[in-house]
Amino acid sequence: MSLPFGLLGLLSYNDSTGYDLTRMFEDSLNNFWHAQSSQIYRELKRMEEQGLVSSRSIIQDGRPNKRLYSITGDGRRELARWLGEGRLEYENPHFSMLMRVFFGADAPEATLALLKACKNQCENIIEANCAKNQKSIESYSSLINNGRERSKYWAMTLDLSIREAKATIEWAESCITQIEEEVAK
């Protein structure tokens, strides 16, 4: 997936400012796709040049003006094309951590530290991010068109993130045990 499709998807819910899109990204897509606000604004400009989104300035009294972005007909067609593509990017992901574990026999202590850090990171993902994302799903579902129906799909992505984190914790614990037993010999 690339950033433009995430932005088109969010704009298909409601017209939004760059600030609102950044916040929505953090509150929803962040469990599987991260984007910084600078990337989002840069991409919105590029997408507007391509005719996928349009924007208009909103004048505010006593505050800086803001830009409100809308998905165009071309943007909706491009989003629909991408959704129907059917290309699965899950086929051959690149995980540098797994490459390091694969060659870990040459540095068992470093591999052990890596696995413990991985386990801790996954526990933190479950504790912090997943709870936050669940709250976001509930709050956004009342704000967007067909929010209740759409939020089911958001919840599906969160569920996978939780399951992956739990499976990774279980895997890391197993690997840690194996390495600790090996080092103890």
Side-chain angles (χ1 to χ4, degrees):
M1 177 181 145
S2 62
L3 181 56
F5 297 111
L7 294 171
L8 289 173
L10 291 175
L11 286 170
S12 75
Y13 296 151
N14 284 325
D15 296 349
S16 299
T17 65
Y19 174 80
D20 291 336
L21 287 167
T22 299
R23 212 175 71 227
M24 285 177 68
F25 232 92
E26 290 172 1
D27 291 346
S28 60
L29 299 171
N30 198 44
N31 65 316
F32 57 88
W33 190 268
H34 176 72
Q36 296 176 344
S37 62
S38 60
Q39 292 173 290
I40 289 172
Y41 283 102
R42 190 172 44 249
E43 196 60 43
L44 285 168
K45 182 179 181 190
R46 191 181 69 73
M47 292 167 62
E48 188 166 21
E49 291 168 357
Q50 294 177 332
L52 301 174
V53 300
S54 63
S55 71
R56 61 184 170 93
S57 186
I58 297 180
I59 310 299
Q60 301 188 107
D61 290 332
R63 301 174 91 182
N65 296 340
K66 59 183 178 180
R67 287 207 95 48
L68 187 67
Y69 292 89
S70 304
I71 188 171
T72 64
D74 284 347
R76 286 189 189 284
R77 284 186 287 283
E78 184 62 13
L79 178 61
R81 182 202 60 76
W82 175 75
L83 288 169
E85 216 173 55
R87 191 177 81 216
L88 191 59
E89 295 173 5
Y90 210 72
E91 294 169 352
N92 188 13
H94 295 101
F95 296 117
S96 62
M97 182 197 69
L98 289 180
M99 177 91 65
R100 291 165 65 192
V101 171
F102 186 89
F103 295 109
D106 291 330
E109 293 297 331
T111 305
L112 189 60
L114 175 71
L115 290 164
K116 288 179 179 179
C118 171
K119 178 181 177 264
N120 289 338
Q121 184 179 23
C122 288
E123 289 169 343
N124 290 337
I125 286 170
I126 291 171
E127 268 182 47
N129 294 346
C130 293
K132 177 184 161 214
N133 285 343
Q134 184 60 47
K135 284 183 181 178
S136 298
I137 289 170
E138 292 166 8
S139 75
Y140 281 115
S141 70
S142 64
L143 299 175
I144 60 175
N145 296 331
N146 300 323
R148 293 281 172 223
E149 183 62 31
R150 291 175 183 241
S151 69
K152 292 176 193 174
Y153 293 88
W154 288 19
M156 289 177 199
T157 65
L158 179 59
D159 183 48
L160 178 60
S161 295
I162 293 168
R163 289 173 189 244
E164 283 182 334
K166 286 179 178 179
T168 302
I169 290 168
E170 186 178 320
W171 167 80
E173 288 172 341
S174 173
C175 294
I176 290 166
T177 300
Q178 289 177 56
I179 293 171
E180 287 177 340
E181 288 172 358
E182 179 183 304
V183 170
K185 291 181 185 178

